[in-house]
Amino acid sequence: MTTETLARRQRLVDEQNTIWHRMQEIMTGSEGRDLTDEERTNWDAAEADLTRISGDLERLERMAQLGSVDRSQIITTSDRGDDPDAEAQRYAEAFHRYMRYGMEGLESEDRQILRGGWSQLQAGQTRALGTAPDSAAGYLVPDAFRNTMTETMKAFGGLLNICNVITTDTGADLSWPTNDDTSNEGDLLSEAVQVPEQDLTVGERELGAYTFTSKLVRVNWQLLQDAAFDVEAWLPRKLGERIGRAVARYVCTGTGVKQPEGLTTAVRVGKQGAGGQTTSVVYDDLIDLEHSVDPAYRGPNCRYLWHDQTLKVIRKLKDGDGRPLWVPVPAPGFPATVNGWAYTVDNSMPEPGASNKTIVFGDFTAGYIVRQVRGVQSIRLNERYADRLQTGFFGYSRIDGMVDDGSALAAYQHAAA
């Protein structure tokens, strides 16, 4: 860049930082309440200025890049192809610097990458691949971060490993069709008789998007400034653990009223324990429970789901010949089974107790659905804890769940007394 171009670039960067600080002050001043009309007007004007200046800065830097490239070596987009892995890496690196140093510590290119999602800033080509930040300075978490969160959530919720999980790009209510045609069958048609009618009845339910938050994690500035502290590994683990515990609890036991419909809340009872079985299970109960699920679902996807304390009870059961139902390793490479069926442990399931639904058996892929909105987000609070030399972080995810095909699953319920 020429001296004149460098001076202009610095002026634009300074203006960009000033406007960004002004926007942060508006949000900080309104913490805990809605923005006033004046604050909304000031925010919108500042955002428009920021967009304009960022565009000028981007054009200036692209021009400088074009001026420094040998024209004979310029390759068109169609010749060069796309490299999403490189784009993802650049975004992850920018996000890492944002978490450590905040917006003020970023170069303009990092700001451009964060504001536009993954972008290809070369040879005059800018291609947005992600989601723009919201007004509270939330940025789309890069894949490596988000994947760590997802895996952590699964570790705390076994049901999430075996049910049907769908991902949507927005949080708008999602209509989900339902149909139960099992009571209807075809007919033998007599000669010269008109074909009888029997309509299909299609119902409809809706999946929403409830927000689960990790709550706030405060990090000392000394740790953020210490290169030896792996903030990218630590934060996903902490935020993921918190969100994971909450999600696991609600998809198992949620009421369905302004929260996900929990599995044990809506699943039908296939077997009720006899009087006195408030914490116990007998062999015959499991046989009856298995056969309460129609054979159409009792295929390779069928399994048990229960709490670890329930597994403790089950492991003591024996069949009529005195053989344990629990088989730790039926064959090399196969999972442990109970009565020949695989099982999953989820400690968000109810423990053995009066009237509790502690065991669910069936095809969970068909029986329970979880909807999650793409893009776990992370928020960085710069000023709120500045007087303590700390920065706040929290993550959030939007999720809903419900029993889908109720015939695919059945529960064992302990006796009330």
Side-chain angles (χ1 to χ4, degrees):
M1 289 187 184
T2 65
T3 302
E4 182 180 349
T5 302
L6 286 172
R8 185 183 175 194
R9 178 183 181 275
Q10 186 59 50
R11 177 176 58 79
L12 290 172
V13 169
D14 291 341
E15 288 185 48
Q16 195 177 50
N17 287 336
T18 299
I19 294 172
W20 179 248
H21 281 296
R22 189 191 314 158
M23 296 170 72
Q24 286 183 311
E25 288 171 359
I26 293 172
M27 283 299 170
T28 302
S30 66
E31 198 166 319
R33 61 171 175 80
D34 293 335
L35 293 174
T36 64
D37 290 341
E38 182 180 1
E39 287 171 335
R40 288 193 183 94
T41 300
N42 291 339
W43 171 273
D44 292 340
E47 186 177 31
D49 289 340
L50 186 64
T51 300
R52 175 179 54 80
I53 293 173
S54 298
D56 290 344
L57 185 60
E58 179 184 344
R59 283 186 286 272
L60 182 67
E61 292 181 340
R62 284 208 307 265
M63 182 58 70
Q65 286 179 335
L66 289 171
S68 62
V69 174
D70 182 352
R71 293 291 190 223
S72 65
Q73 297 178 356
I74 293 180
I75 304 174
T76 65
T77 303
S78 59
D79 291 332
R80 107 180 114 67
D82 296 328
D83 189 355
D85 291 338
E87 295 175 13
Q89 179 62 28
R90 283 196 292 272
Y91 188 91
E93 291 171 354
F95 187 85
H96 168 70
R97 287 188 285 270
Y98 161 70
M99 288 204 302
R100 278 191 181 274
Y101 310 118
M103 183 59 66
E104 306 81 35
L106 299 183
E107 296 293 335
S108 60
E109 182 178 356
D110 286 341
R111 294 192 185 95
Q112 294 295 332
I113 292 173
L114 287 178
R115 273 192 292 270
W118 300 336
S119 299
Q120 202 155 31
L121 303 174
Q122 58 181 346
Q125 299 293 331
T126 301
R127 183 166 59 88
L129 301 179
T131 302
D134 60 20
S135 59
Y139 290 97
L140 188 68
V141 176
D143 280 346
F145 192 110
R146 183 170 61 251
N147 290 345
T148 302
M149 270 195 175
T150 302
E151 292 302 319
T152 305
M153 288 170 63
K154 288 180 178 179
F156 282 89
L159 176 56
L160 292 174
N161 286 317
I162 57 178
C163 68
N164 181 19
V165 179
I166 62 172
T167 302
T168 60
D169 291 323
T170 72
D173 286 348
L174 179 65
S175 295
W176 196 254
T178 62
N179 169 247
D180 183 356
D181 197 51
T182 55
S183 63
N184 300 319
E185 61 180 44
D187 202 357
L188 175 65
L189 190 65
S190 300
E191 186 176 354
V193 174
Q194 184 179 8
V195 175
E197 295 182 7
Q198 179 66 65
D199 290 336
L200 292 171
T201 301
V202 178
E204 184 176 288
R205 300 185 65 188
E206 285 192 348
L207 282 165
Y210 300 104
T211 301
F212 289 85
T213 177
S214 64
K215 298 183 180 178
L216 199 68
V217 174
R218 291 183 292 172
V219 184
N220 291 331
W221 288 359
Q222 293 92 329
L223 286 176
L224 289 175
Q225 295 166 0
D226 185 356
F229 176 62
D230 191 355
V231 67
E232 287 182 299
W234 182 79
L235 272 178
R237 185 172 68 251
K238 292 294 108 178
L239 304 185
E241 285 175 359
R242 294 182 179 188
I243 294 175
R245 292 187 189 105
V247 171
R249 177 162 56 89
Y250 280 96
V251 297
C252 281
T253 60
T255 65
V257 180
K258 297 183 178 180
Q259 59 185 251
E261 178 186 77
L263 172 67
T264 58
T265 302
V267 70
R268 65 187 177 89
V269 175
K271 176 62 179 178
Q272 176 84 47
Q277 289 182 217
T278 56
T279 59
S280 62
V281 184
V282 298
Y283 171 68
D284 288 351
D285 290 339
L286 295 183
I287 299 298
D288 290 341
L289 177 61
E290 291 170 7
H291 284 269
S292 70
V293 176
D294 192 276
Y297 297 100
R298 292 206 310 268
N301 290 331
C302 241
R303 63 174 51 235
Y304 283 105
L305 177 73
W306 45 43
H307 191 284
D308 187 60
Q309 289 300 311
T310 304
L311 176 61
K312 180 180 177 180
V313 174
I314 299 298
R315 288 181 62 181
K316 299 175 183 178
L317 295 182
K318 297 178 176 60
D319 64 16
D321 296 324
R323 295 171 299 189
L325 298 184
W326 180 71
V327 180
V329 183
F334 287 82
T337 63
V338 169
N339 207 30
W341 297 101
Y343 63 84
T344 296
V345 175
D346 190 327
N347 280 352
S348 293
M349 286 284 289
E351 296 185 38
S355 299
N356 286 351
K357 298 176 184 177
T358 58
I359 303 173
V360 179
F361 176 81
D363 183 346
F364 290 86
T365 303
Y368 194 82
I369 184 170
V370 170
R371 180 264 187 100
Q372 60 183 5
V373 179
R374 186 184 300 278
V376 176
Q377 286 197 321
S378 173
I379 303 295
R380 187 185 203 273
L381 303 178
N382 294 327
E383 306 297 335
R384 184 172 177 180
Y385 302 104
D387 59 341
R388 302 179 186 178
L389 301 183
Q390 293 176 325
T391 297
F393 296 91
F394 68 89
Y396 68 89
S397 184
R398 302 172 67 194
I399 292 175
D400 194 10
M402 67 179 185
V403 171
D404 189 8
D405 186 345
S407 299
L409 300 171
Y412 170 79
Q413 184 173 31
H414 290 275

